[in-house]
């Protein structure tokens, strides 16, 4: 079987990914089986492009914002997740790019079971305001015969134009 080059994901440096998610975003978010809720997301990329903080506000499962802190660690990406309620979580990922989409893949544990975790940022058709993304948080248990990802949560990232001061 021949696989076209465009279908193959390639590892990329975090410095390419980081500035793509910087900015102010709005959209809806929902966990699997739940009604969507309006959210705002603020993305800040450090000057050296080695750290990205995504703050997800409103509509989260906790009464506080979620903070997703991504840091380049050599060829890997370390994520520290805070939600203000449960203990902070950390996970190492590899970063891939395929046809403009980004995928962070890592092995971890969900519900005390080994799992492959994917954070997928897919390019979405924007409304003329700039690049939009669909951020899905997916998981696949490694102790079953099911070999596909299950959607855990999705977040729309539609660009919010900056407010001009007078």
């Amino acid at each position: 079987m021949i696989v076209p080059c465009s279908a193959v994901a390639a590892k990329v440096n975090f410095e390419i990914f980081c500035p793509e998610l910087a900015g102010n975003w709005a959209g809806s978010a929902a966990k699997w089986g739940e009604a969507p809720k309006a959210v705002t997301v603020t993305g800040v990329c450090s000057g050296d492009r080695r750290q990205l903080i995504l703050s997800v506000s409103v509509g989260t499962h906790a009464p506080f914002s979620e903070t997703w802190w991504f840091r380049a660690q050599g060829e890997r990406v370390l994520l520290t997740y805070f939600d203000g309620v449960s203990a902070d979580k950390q996970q190492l990922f590899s970063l891939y790019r395929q046809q403009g989409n980004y995928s962070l893949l890592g092995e971890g544990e969900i519900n005390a079971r080994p799992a492959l975790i994917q954070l997928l940022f897919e390019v979405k058709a924007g409304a003329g305001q700039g690049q939009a993304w669909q951020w899905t948080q997916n998981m696949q248990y490694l102790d079953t015969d099911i070999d596909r990802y299950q959607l855990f949560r999705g977040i729309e990232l539609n660009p919010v134009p900056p407010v001009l001061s007078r």
Side-chain angles (χ1 to χ4, degrees), residues 3-90:
V3 178
C5 290
S6 63
V8 177
K11 270 193 168 185
V12 293
N13 291 327
F14 188 79
E15 292 83 7
I16 294 170
F17 170 71
C18 188
E20 295 261 17
L21 277 295
N24 293 307
W25 311 92
S28 60
K31 287 187 177 180
W32 176 253
E34 293 182 0
K37 298 175 185 172
V39 296
T40 58
V41 178
T42 301
V44 178
C45 180
S46 64
D48 63 2
R49 297 180 175 192
R50 298 186 48 78
Q51 297 184 65
L52 171 67
I53 294 177
L54 294 177
S55 177
V56 181
S57 302
V58 185
T60 62
H61 73 281
F64 308 107
S65 298
E66 296 175 344
T67 301
W68 299 72
W69 180 18
F70 299 91
R71 291 171 287 185
Q73 303 281 306
E75 291 190 10
R76 307 277 307 248
V77 176
L78 175 65
L79 166 66
T80 303
Y81 170 82
F82 313 88
D83 68 4
V85 175
S86 55
D88 299 348
K89 297 176 181 94
Q90 289 195 322

Side-chain angles (χ1 to χ4, degrees), residues 39 73 101 106 119 131:
V39 296
Q73 303 281 306
N101 303 322
L119 303 177
Q131 184 68 58

Side-chain angles (χ1 to χ4, degrees), residues 85-151:
V85 175
S86 55
D88 299 348
K89 297 176 181 94
Q90 289 195 322
Q91 176 70 47
L92 271 174
F93 290 95
S94 294
L95 177 62
Y96 297 91
R97 186 170 190 182
Q98 179 181 5
Q99 297 177 338
N101 303 322
Y102 292 96
S103 179
L104 290 132
L105 294 173
E107 286 188 37
E109 200 172 275
I110 299 175
N111 299 325
R113 295 174 62 188
L116 187 58
I117 301 166
Q118 178 192 49
L119 303 177
L120 180 62
F121 294 84
E122 293 180 286
V123 174
K124 216 174 98 157
Q129 300 172 358
Q131 184 68 58
W133 300 90
Q134 179 68 41
W135 175 13
T136 55
Q137 301 160 15
N138 307 300
M139 47 78 81
Q140 176 182 339
Y141 287 115
L142 298 174
D143 59 359
T144 67
D145 290 338
I146 299 171
D147 64 349
R148 61 181 163 73
Y149 287 104
Q150 299 172 15
L151 174 68

